[in-house]
Amino acid sequence: DQINTSRTDIPAGAPVFFTATEANGNSGHIGIASGQVNDDGVPLIYTTGYGTTRDGISLLPLDELEEEYATDYLGYGETD
């Protein structure tokens, strides 16, 4: 298994990894790929609302998640 850094064609259910920042307690973050994209072709990621005004689980475009949570996308986990 390895980390794929592509921002396209992220398979549904793949764990999506983000950098550690002060905003996430220097712990990083993991979301789950939905396998869907928005109208701009940006992958949609299931994520929790850690450290924000969001509660529960949200479905956010990858770029919006990076901006809102002040974190950078590292890639997704490939599994067999």
Side-chain angles (χ1 to χ4, degrees), residues 5-72:
T5 58
S6 173
R7 296 177 80 91
T8 60
D9 300 322
I10 303 174
V16 181
F17 301 98
F18 296 89
T19 57
T21 66
E22 286 186 29
N24 60 37
N26 293 312
S27 298
H29 185 67
I30 300 173
I32 304 293
S34 70
Q36 304 168 12
V37 297
N38 67 9
D39 291 340
D40 295 324
V42 178
L44 298 174
I45 308 298
Y46 288 105
T47 184
T48 59
Y50 71 95
T52 71
T53 58
R54 294 179 189 269
D55 289 327
I57 298 172
S58 299
L59 183 62
L60 296 176
L62 178 59
D63 55 354
E64 185 177 325
L65 194 153
E66 287 178 294
E67 182 178 327
E68 184 170 324
Y69 296 134
T71 189
D72 293 317

